[in-house]
Amino acid sequence: MSIFHNPEDSSKPYKEPTPLPDDVPKVKELGTTSAPLKSAAFFIGAHCKEYNEDFMLCKNENRDPAHCLKEGRRVTRCAQDMITKMRENCLQEWDKHWNCLELNNHEYYMCRKPERTLNKCMFEKLTIPGTPEGQTPIHEVKRPVFTGVQK
Amino acid sequence: MPPHSRNRSFSPPMLNQSILPRLPAGLSTRRRVYHPIHPNWFKLITIIPLLPLIVLFANFHFFNDATLRVLVFLDMPPPGGFEPVKYKRNIPLRGPSGVVILGGVTAVCAYGFYRLGKGNLEKRELKREATWSRIHLVPLLLAEGDRDAYRRQKAALEREKEIMKDVPDWEVGKSVYHNDKYRPTDPIVVL
């Protein structure tokens, strides 16, 4: 007989030790933390646009996790591929940018300088277009209103 | 006798300077500084005791009648008389007018609102950028979460199968709802 423990009251998260069943193909999980992902968000979005859209449309049909495992694997593989490419080509600029984000509450506007070097490196080496947003994209505005206090 | 106006020095103008006793040589060569309040002390010390004698001598020597003329320093008005007393109010119109002041205030406020508007537009764009970064990352995070949820769901089903294996007519994993729509399971942790 097992007593019901409300998971909201527990101090430790419950770790389910059972692994994925074997009939599900394995995929190498992304090991990145939030700051590198946030830094690489637009590049991943541009590179993996079709897979992301496919996955979201699948989700729209049915929210069951089992339904969209295949599309999810594709998304993860594409992102993994993108991250590997970024690490090979622009590792230092990327490191600088996401370390800057770590120090600044993950605010993009505080880290425009490293972002510009990262963009330059990515455009030269991997030729990925940025996200179009209107007149001047916000990451290219020359004299923004919101900046950090210290230059 | 003409009216006498007060001067800074205490030497009387009516008297002949040459007949006055000279000051001792040592003192007269000293630089004389006449203060408006404090007179030259040396001159006072030497002249003032002699003034009555000087007055008497001058009176009997220079004037033939018997009246005594006394040296007085009268506090008389300045030459030309005093200026007229200003009793009328003097509040001149000067400085910017009310319209100008309000115009200045309006200009400053307008500039402030302009800057505020620019800041709001930029805030909107920053929010847009942040939202799009999230949009791009959601599928991969969702896929990862899905795999984890699927794994846990399967493990829970296994546990349910194990627990309810002796119960007849128990369909493992059957939904309590007639609707086929997927509902996430309530989190029950078996410890």
Side-chain angles (χ1 to χ4, degrees), chain B residues 5 45 48 51 54 69 78 109 116 118 123 127-128 160 179:
Chain B
S5 58
I45 287 165
I48 282 177
L51 273 175
I54 292 164
R69 281 142 177 102
C109 288
L116 182 70
K118 280 262 180 272
K123 245 196 193 165
K127 190 91 172 67
R128 191 186 305 232
E160 190 189 335
N179 194 358

Side-chain angles (χ1 to χ4, degrees), chain A residues 16 18 29-30 59 145-146, chain B residues 122 129 140 146-147 151:
Chain A
E16 176 64 66
T18 323
E29 298 286 355
L30 297 175
K59 272 286 183 185
V145 175
F146 291 99
Chain B
E122 181 158 315
E129 187 190 19
L140 77 101
D146 267 2
R147 283 193 287 274
R151 181 178 67 92

Side-chain angles (χ1 to χ4, degrees), chain A residues 22-41:
Chain A
D22 289 328
D23 52 346
V24 172
K26 295 283 183 284
V27 69
K28 189 165 181 293
E29 298 286 355
L30 297 175
T32 53
T33 44
S34 54
L37 271 184
K38 183 145 187 184
S39 173

Side-chain angles (χ1 to χ4, degrees), chain B:
Chain B
M1 277 198 291
H4 159 68
S5 58
R6 180 196 287 274
N7 352 12
R8 293 273 171 93
S9 68
F10 275 73
S11 57
M14 290 181 288
L15 298 169
N16 196 344
Q17 287 284 356
S18 59
I19 62 167
L20 280 172
R22 292 192 67 83
L23 288 170
L27 287 171
S28 66
T29 54
R30 200 173 283 183
R31 184 169 66 91
R32 288 162 204 186
V33 176
Y34 297 113
H35 283 275
I37 298 164
H38 301 292
N40 187 318
W41 291 108
F42 297 116
K43 232 180 188 168
L44 272 178
I45 287 165
T46 52
I47 287 178
I48 282 177
L50 297 169
L51 273 175
L53 295 172
I54 292 164
V55 165
L56 282 169
F57 174 74
N59 270 293
F60 292 118
H61 190 269
F62 293 111
F63 308 113
N64 293 323
D65 53 22
T67 54
L68 186 66
R69 281 142 177 102
V70 182
L71 203 77
V72 283
F73 293 105
L74 296 172
D75 186 11
M76 296 299 286
F82 285 112
E83 292 160 11
V85 171
K86 298 188 183 86
Y87 66 94
K88 289 202 168 108
R89 60 200 294 252
N90 180 26
I91 301 169
L93 292 174
R94 49 175 290 193
S97 69
V99 182
V100 170
I101 290 174
L102 286 174
V105 166
T106 310
V108 170
C109 288
Y111 178 68
F113 275 114
Y114 167 75
R115 290 289 288 175
L116 182 70
K118 280 262 180 272
N120 285 345
L121 288 171
E122 181 158 315
K123 245 196 193 165
R124 190 198 288 178
E125 292 304 314
L126 287 169
K127 190 91 172 67
R128 191 186 305 232
E129 187 190 19
T131 313
W132 270 105
S133 80
R134 187 164 181 251
I135 287 170
H136 292 317
L137 291 174
V138 154
L140 77 101
L141 296 170
L142 203 51
E144 199 175 312
D146 267 2
R147 283 193 287 274
D148 191 41
Y150 179 71
R151 181 178 67 92
R152 284 172 187 253
Q153 212 175 31
K154 284 280 174 251
L157 265 178
E158 289 300 317
R159 276 197 294 269
E160 190 189 335
K161 212 187 285 182
E162 179 61 36
I163 291 165
M164 303 300 280
K165 63 177 185 291
D166 294 328
V167 175
D169 299 331
W170 179 263
E171 289 170 55
V172 178
K174 182 168 182 230
S175 171
V176 295
Y177 305 105
H178 293 291
N179 194 358
D180 281 339
K181 193 174 153 179
Y182 168 75
R183 290 189 67 89
T185 51
D186 296 322
I188 293 179
V189 176
V190 177
L191 290 169

